[in-house]
Amino acid sequence: MLAFRRPQELANPLVFFVMAVSLFPLGVSPEKSFLAPAAAGVVWVASLLATLLSLDALFRADHEDGSLEQLTLAPQPLFILVLAKVFAHWLTTGLPLILLSPVLALMLHVDESLLGVLMLSLLVGTPVLSLIGAIGAALTVGLRVGGVLISLLVLPLYIPVLIFGTGMVQSAAAGMDYTATLAMLGAILALSLTLAPFAAAAALKISVSN
Amino acid sequence: MTGQTPLLEAKNLQCERDDRILFENLSFSVDPGDVVQIEGPNGAGKTTLLKLLCGLAPLRQGELFWRGERMSQARPQFLSSLLYLGHKTGVKALLTPLENLRAWCAQREDVNEERMMAALETVGLAGYEYSPCNSLSAGQQRRAALARLHVSSAPLWVLDEAFTAIDKKGVAQLEALLREKANAGGAVILTTHHSLHLSGEVRRIQLGAAS
């Protein structure tokens, strides 16, 4: 499960994340007046796309070498195994993104006091991205070109996470209480944590049987 | 073995692919100690039949019973007594044979490290335990998967083309292992184009005879 032996695949989403974020000051404007308010959104969108980029690989290798069949025939319930895989995915993409985000946020002139809030929003938000993404990845694993389809399937479901994630940082920037948005984000996490593994497991069963 | 509930019983199985019926009304049962070879030309539905039996493919018609219980109810027990080895073996190319075996055992069997090493040695991978599988030959990768058989205590083995890419000596060894398994009260269902040289009796199920 831990295919740490392919470092370039591991680094791929991170490199994408860094590049996407650093292109903004170059492409739009390096002015603080523009970057500071946009920063949370930029970091969030970039991490969302970086996660999306890494999703296709979640089950594909397993499907190709037959491990997926072995997983579905394991005595453990499939959703637990899916949960383990998603957790591993989050550890290798979500967590590094969170750790990188303050560095990039500083580059975008984000106020230091907001770094904690940004990281917190990502900490609650990125597991949701991995969980929902797993459903998309599981549905498309049997198809030859799954990548585009995953984006189409998953992106609409990512939008609430994005809205609440950036909303949280923005309300903190405006000096308002952000616990309400944090609670919403947490509720989304709880919902996807309980439902997504089952949905992904069911989708995997369909994919394997084809 | 009359009077005993069969390990696995299939009733009226049917398989259809692209509007062609590969087989229908296929019924058979597998008792402890049986070695069942499924025969048929390419495309006769051998792999599909095995997948149906394991529940990897949806059962459109017919019923399956595990130890006399309907499969839908007995599925957890069935899964913990099944070893399935498909065309694609599930050997991770980036991991070593030992790591592969360890990962596989972690989900199923309580096996210590020495037994895993011994199993790898038996399949002829001594000295390769720590080299990643993508540097091994096709036969060696297949052997890495077959090492599972040596540590498995599952009563039912389902092997799809288990002899592919295995040399003569390996085939003989595997045949001996299958026989041993059957004598110990296990059951084996397999497909192969090899002619099996088992000392005991091998039951054959012929598919695609009509075409």
Side-chain angles (χ1 to χ4, degrees):
Chain A
M1 269 191 187
L2 289 171
F4 259 98
R5 271 173 217 183
R6 212 174 273 163
Q8 78 270 25
E9 242 171 57
L10 209 60
N12 223 352
L14 292 181
V15 172
F16 175 83
F17 180 59
V18 173
M19 285 203 310
V21 172
S22 47
L23 283 178
F24 264 84
L26 297 172
V28 190
S29 147
E31 293 298 319
K32 189 180 178 181
S33 57
F34 164 74
L35 283 180
V42 170
V43 172
W44 254 97
V45 169
S47 53
L48 190 148
L49 292 176
T51 313
L52 205 57
L53 192 70
S54 65
L55 278 177
D56 195 40
L58 185 55
F59 297 116
R60 186 156 302 272
D62 283 351
H63 185 254
E64 271 158 18
D65 65 13
S67 316
L68 209 54
E69 288 179 348
Q70 296 293 340
L71 280 185
T72 46
L73 291 177
Q76 291 85 359
L78 188 56
F79 75 93
I80 291 184
L81 301 172
V82 169
L83 201 57
K85 275 208 84 84
V86 172
F87 184 62
H89 175 258
W90 179 76
L91 280 181
T92 50
T93 56
L95 199 59
L97 289 181
I98 298 172
L99 295 177
L100 262 176
S101 64
V103 183
L104 294 171
L106 277 181
M107 192 179 78
L108 300 177
H109 301 289
V110 171
D111 197 60
E112 278 166 44
S113 61
L114 290 176
L115 289 184
V117 183
L118 177 65
M119 285 179 78
L120 184 64
S121 73
L122 284 171
L123 185 66
V124 184
T126 46
V128 182
L129 301 184
S130 291
L131 283 163
I132 296 176
I135 306 177
L139 276 173
T140 55
V141 73
L143 309 173
R144 213 153 294 156
V145 276
V148 190
L149 207 54
I150 289 190
S151 318
L152 281 175
L153 283 171
V154 158
L155 216 49
L157 296 168
Y158 275 4
I159 287 170
V161 188
L162 179 68
I163 291 173
F164 285 112
T166 52
M168 188 173 144
V169 184
Q170 270 154 11
S171 52
M176 290 188 300
D177 188 17
Y178 58 81
T179 44
T181 35
L182 177 61
M184 279 306 291
L185 214 52
I188 297 177
L189 174 61
L191 188 71
S192 56
L193 194 61
T194 43
L195 294 182
F198 290 100
L204 276 184
K205 275 188 189 144
I206 299 171
S207 291
V208 166
S209 65
N210 283 327
Chain B
M1 292 198 199
T2 43
Q4 197 183 351
T5 38
L7 212 52
L8 182 73
E9 197 179 1
K11 277 183 187 163
N12 297 322
L13 296 188
Q14 188 222 43
C15 168
E16 204 181 270
R17 180 172 292 166
D18 302 332
D19 296 330
R20 271 182 313 125
I21 291 176
L22 290 179
F23 51 82
E24 58 186 341
N25 295 329
L26 183 69
S27 303
F28 61 93
S29 63
V30 180
D31 293 311
D34 273 357
V35 177
V36 180
Q37 181 182 5
I38 296 167
E39 289 182 320
N42 296 122
K46 300 187 291 296
T47 298
T48 316
L49 175 60
L50 293 190
K51 285 193 169 171
L52 279 177
L53 293 180
C54 298
L56 281 174
L59 206 58
R60 303 227 186 275
Q61 225 179 68
E63 283 171 310
L64 283 173
F65 295 90
W66 173 249
R67 293 192 201 271
E69 247 186 290
R70 205 176 276 276
M71 189 58 96
S72 51
Q73 274 136 36
R75 185 134 181 94
Q77 292 93 300
F78 171 68
L79 286 184
S80 52
S81 19
L82 169 76
L83 184 155
Y84 170 78
L85 204 59
H87 265 284
K88 295 185 276 183
T89 50
V91 168
K92 283 251 164 268
L94 291 169
L95 300 178
T96 68
L98 182 62
E99 285 166 331
N100 264 307
L101 191 57
R102 198 186 291 146
W104 187 84
C105 287
Q107 288 186 334
R108 295 169 181 85
E109 315 267 336
D110 191 16
V111 179
N112 59 16
E113 206 80 344
E114 285 105 76
R115 263 195 74 193
M116 288 187 213
M117 290 299 260
L120 288 175
E121 206 187 312
T122 333
V123 293
L125 284 175
Y128 293 100
E129 292 97 339
Y130 299 107
S131 26
C133 283
N134 53 12
S135 68
L136 302 180
S137 78
Q140 284 173 320
Q141 291 191 19
R142 182 54 78 153
R143 281 160 179 267
L146 289 176
R148 293 171 194 164
L149 300 179
H150 290 272
V151 295
S152 168
S153 59
L156 177 67
W157 290 355
V158 176
L159 313 176
D160 194 0
E161 298 293 348
F163 295 93
T164 319
I166 300 284
D167 58 27
K168 273 185 187 152
K169 205 169 140 238
V171 169
Q173 194 189 23
L174 191 57
E175 283 170 348
L177 182 69
L178 295 184
R179 177 45 50 204
E180 203 180 294
K181 177 77 183 173
N183 289 340
V188 183
I189 307 177
L190 74 161
T191 69
T192 175
H193 293 289
H194 273 276
S195 41
L196 283 176
H197 301 288
L198 290 181
S199 43
E201 193 188 340
V202 179
R203 281 178 41 211
R204 295 198 162 79
I205 294 173
Q206 188 75 37
L207 290 181
S211 56

